[in-house]
Amino acid sequence: MQAASSFRRLRCWLHERPMMSDTFLAVALAIGYLGFYSISVSVGSDLRLTWAEAGMIAVPFSVIVLRRKWLWGGIALSMAIMGASVLVEPLRTMGLDSGVGMFVLTYTAAAYRPLTRALVAAAVIWGSVVLVLQSAAFMYGDPTTGTLVSLLNLVMAATVFWIGWVMRNRREKVEELSDRARMAEERQDALAAQAVADEQRRIARELHDVVAHHISVIGVMSEGAKRVLRTDPDAAEEALTTVNQTARTALREMRDILTVLRQGHDEAGSADLEPQPTVDSLRALVAQTKDAGLPVRYTVRGEEYPLPTGVSLAVYRIAQEALTNTIKHGGAHARAGVVVDYGEAEFRISVGDSGRGAPVVPEFAGGHGLIGMRERATLYGGTLEVGPRPGGGYLVEARFPKNAHLQGVTR
């Protein structure tokens, strides 16, 4: 395990230093080739490779050092070494390297350069080699051998070029897959963050709607009980009974929400939870609001049809928040009306009152209640309109397409 870790660190270190890595490669190939050449010479004769000859043979391997940092510099150096070995008699030993450096340069061009540039580089290298070989064969009167050697070099060069090209495609494929994996991971993280944000907003809406409504009712009823406690004990007792029932309802709904949060959606089905309120619960909401001292008229228009569960809950919460705002801001003599309209193309819920409404603040986009109502409507492809009515009072109206459950979630 430690050896593998050390090898990975060495590999990373060399990857960050390409010239150093290529220097090690050049030295290794030169030593290997010199060993092979020395053994080959000693097997066939009593000749021994001198240090001077070994140094001359190793010179062409120096081009490998430049292969990635300066490819064309390596090609130019390779051509210069080949020309010197052909034209200068004392330097001919440099031509005994069998073109290993040129093959490495050919592989590098195919593996690290665009195809067109790689082909040009290979053509320059091996065109020069063929030209030198054919010239030497013509000078020594052996064109057949020169042709065969040239073809052999070209076949080997084509093979090396093909290997480099395959490795380049493989590397690009791996990089593409890595980029896709990274993008998928980033997208997954973004989706997870979005899901968390959506869940936080949903929880905030539920908590606000549950707490705001019931606390408002409790506040109004307790204030009323305080006023009539001495003059009308029966009315005070009735108000306190409503406060008690409202508090119990609020606690029960809070407990249901917290139970879902603790157990998660997968286990929520096993919990002893109250069913979520729906459009059918609006009558009970209106009755509770009347008990809180706000006169409310409830009207249903059109032929009733079932609504998707999410839309039905959104309608209830919008009506609950609108009535809560009327209790808080409508004033002592306010009256309210709730109209449920089952239209042929859309479902509409309207909550209007005759009160004075909330104070108008310039450039105010709405509190948490208004934001929550708008989010609930938008979530199911609906729209929300709020504001003062021309004849006085305040109106909250939400519209949902009849096929809202088929439209998906709107963000």
Side-chain angles (χ1 to χ4, degrees):
M1 191 70 177
Q2 187 175 2
S5 178
S6 300
F7 178 75
R8 282 196 298 270
R9 287 198 297 270
L10 176 61
R11 197 173 167 191
C12 291
W13 186 83
L14 291 174
H15 182 72
E16 295 172 356
R17 298 165 177 81
M19 201 162 212
M20 181 69 70
S21 176
D22 291 337
T23 301
F24 289 151
L25 175 63
V27 172
L29 290 176
I31 293 174
Y33 183 78
L34 287 172
F36 171 76
Y37 185 81
S38 178
I39 294 173
S40 300
V41 170
S42 62
V43 169
S45 64
D46 295 333
L47 297 176
R48 293 292 182 270
L49 188 65
T50 64
W51 286 104
E53 292 173 337
M56 296 288 283
I57 294 175
V59 168
F61 288 89
S62 61
V63 301
I64 297 174
V65 177
L66 305 176
R67 71 185 188 102
R68 281 187 290 182
K69 295 290 289 185
W70 192 23
L71 176 64
W72 283 102
I75 293 174
L77 179 59
S78 179
M79 298 297 99
I81 292 173
M82 181 177 64
S85 65
V86 171
L87 300 175
V88 182
E89 179 70 26
L91 302 180
R92 287 192 176 177
T93 308
M94 291 192 303
L96 300 178
D97 72 318
S98 299
V100 175
M102 296 180 179
F103 285 117
V104 173
L105 293 177
T106 303
Y107 169 85
T108 303
Y112 295 98
R113 295 293 187 274
L115 183 59
T116 303
R117 296 182 182 180
L119 289 172
V120 171
V124 170
I125 295 172
W126 297 103
S128 301
V129 171
V130 170
L131 180 62
V132 169
L133 290 175
Q134 292 297 323
S135 299
F138 178 78
M139 289 175 57
Y140 292 104
D142 192 2
T144 303
T145 302
T147 301
L148 290 176
V149 174
S150 298
L151 290 175
L152 177 62
N153 277 275
L154 290 177
V155 170
M156 294 175 63
T159 303
V160 170
F161 187 92
W162 178 79
I163 293 173
W165 185 71
V166 169
M167 293 302 294
R168 176 184 174 222
N169 289 339
R170 180 183 176 185
R171 186 180 65 255
E172 290 179 349
K173 188 66 175 178
V174 171
E175 291 175 354
E176 180 183 355
L177 293 176
S178 299
D179 290 341
R180 287 184 180 180
R182 178 179 53 78
M183 293 176 62
E185 185 176 356
E186 292 176 353
R187 178 176 175 79
Q188 187 66 26
D189 292 342
L191 291 175
Q194 182 65 38
V196 171
D198 292 343
E199 188 67 7
Q200 288 175 339
R201 284 196 295 270
R202 185 188 70 81
I203 295 170
R205 285 196 303 265
E206 293 297 328
L207 289 175
H208 176 274
D209 292 345
V210 170
V211 173
H213 175 74
H214 293 304
I215 295 301
S216 296
V217 172
I218 291 173
V220 171
M221 296 304 294
S222 60
E223 182 67 23
K226 179 181 177 181
R227 290 178 179 178
V228 300
L229 182 61
R230 298 181 185 277
T231 59
D232 192 350
D234 292 336
E237 181 180 0
E238 183 179 352
L240 291 175
T241 300
T242 302
V243 168
N244 180 271
Q245 293 174 348
T246 304
R248 290 177 181 273
T249 301
L251 288 174
R252 185 172 62 250
E253 293 190 19
M254 288 287 292
R255 186 187 66 243
D256 291 346
I257 293 175
L258 294 176
T259 300
V260 171
L261 293 178
R262 289 194 184 101
Q263 297 184 355
H265 295 290
D266 293 337
E267 302 177 8
S270 62
D272 185 16
L273 304 179
E274 292 289 333
Q276 289 280 19
T278 63
V279 174
D280 297 333
S281 306
L282 286 177
R283 297 182 188 276
L285 176 65
V286 169
Q288 185 186 50
T289 306
K290 287 180 180 179
D291 292 340
L294 176 66
V296 183
R297 183 176 62 183
Y298 182 68
T299 306
V300 178
R301 297 175 181 171
E303 185 177 352
E304 296 186 18
Y305 48 77
L307 295 175
T309 304
V311 176
S312 191
L313 174 61
V315 168
Y316 178 88
R317 293 303 189 196
I318 290 173
Q320 184 183 50
E321 177 63 23
L323 291 174
T324 300
N325 289 338
T326 300
I327 292 174
K328 291 194 295 185
H329 306 295
H333 303 290
R335 306 176 68 86
V338 178
V339 179
V340 177
D341 187 356
Y342 290 87
E344 294 184 0
E346 64 179 11
F347 175 88
R348 180 169 59 91
I349 173 74
S350 302
V351 181
D353 63 57
S354 60
R356 60 176 180 268
V360 177
V361 179
E363 300 182 359
F364 178 63
H368 294 294
L370 179 57
I371 293 173
M373 286 192 291
R374 196 175 303 279
E375 287 180 345
R376 288 184 184 278
T378 305
L379 189 63
Y380 296 99
T383 59
L384 181 75
E385 296 181 5
V386 297
R389 295 196 298 183
Y394 205 79
L395 177 66
V396 175
E397 184 174 84
R399 300 171 181 267
F400 296 89
K402 189 174 182 179
N403 61 342
H405 62 295
L406 300 178
Q407 296 189 3
V409 177
T410 302
R411 296 296 182 199

